[in-house]
Amino acid sequence: IGSLFVQRVIVGVGDMGVSNNANMTLSTYALGSCVAIAAYDPLVKAGGLLHIMLPDSTISPAKATAQPAMFADTGLPMLFRALIGVKADRTRLRILIAGGASILCNSDMFKIGERNIKATTDYLAKNGYAIRRSVVGGTVNRTLHLDLSTGAVTLKMPAHSENHSLAA
């Protein structure tokens, strides 16, 4: 008997969630300059969500050791290792990235959003992962929900929502 209740796991800033429980939705809120990476294997209904804050862990090795999901260079390898642990197959993974906005102002001198996008896309390309959908940049906050039963991704922005599928 299937569960009537979907469990929602909140993935916080600088955190990660991975599951192969089809009754689960992975959600992350307030993606500004941060980037979320949603990965999904439709055959086994396994997925993961990573919410990175910064592109490069070398600025704070101690923080990277304590919270590797905070950085693109330490969080991404951790995400893909965890997905294999829940029986996802790297050849079937479908990936959506979102976030990387310039929230503070258009003259954001650190360009954290842009650097997070570049660190993420560079890592994925270098490791042979194709990005199915990319909703990045701009100046709006985003909230992302990944439904593991269907592979549906809902992106909520202040003015509208978008639905994407990582199943097909």
Side-chain angles (χ1 to χ4, degrees):
I1 295 173
S3 171
L4 296 174
F5 302 101
V6 170
Q7 297 170 274
R8 183 175 308 277
V9 171
I10 308 301
V11 177
V13 177
D15 209 352
M16 177 184 83
V18 173
S19 180
N20 57 4
N21 175 349
N23 293 319
M24 186 148 317
T25 296
L26 301 174
S27 299
T28 197
Y29 295 89
L31 282 167
S33 61
C34 294
V35 170
I37 298 91
Y40 183 71
D41 178 338
L43 190 70
V44 295
K45 295 187 181 334
L49 185 59
L50 174 67
H51 184 143
I52 62 163
M53 285 177 65
L54 296 165
D56 183 7
S57 64
T58 58
I59 63 160
S60 180
K63 191 73 171 163
T65 301
Q67 198 178 359
M70 181 180 280
F71 304 96
D73 64 332
T74 50
L76 285 159
M78 186 174 77
L79 172 67
F80 292 111
R81 279 194 307 273
L83 284 164
I84 291 164
V86 294
K87 307 295 184 247
D89 184 315
R90 72 167 281 143
T91 63
R92 290 191 303 257
L93 285 176
R94 285 135 186 204
I95 296 170
L96 177 143
I97 64 171
S102 296
I103 299 297
L104 301 174
C105 60
N106 286 334
S107 64
D108 174 12
M109 64 185 218
F110 297 113
K111 301 205 179 309
I112 299 294
E114 276 177 39
R115 289 170 45 215
N116 281 338
I117 295 164
K118 182 171 177 10
T120 299
T121 55
D122 286 355
Y123 176 89
L124 294 171
K126 191 176 92 186
N127 290 279
Y129 293 103
I131 298 171
R132 176 67 55 99
R133 188 83 179 93
S134 178
V135 186
V136 294
T139 56
V140 295
N141 274 310
R142 297 172 175 96
T143 290
L144 186 152
H145 306 286
L146 170 61
D147 178 339
L148 296 183
S149 68
T150 62
V153 175
T154 305
L155 277 172
K156 294 186 177 352
M157 281 73 72
H160 71 291
S161 290
E162 293 177 11
N163 294 303
H164 303 282
S165 176
L166 292 179

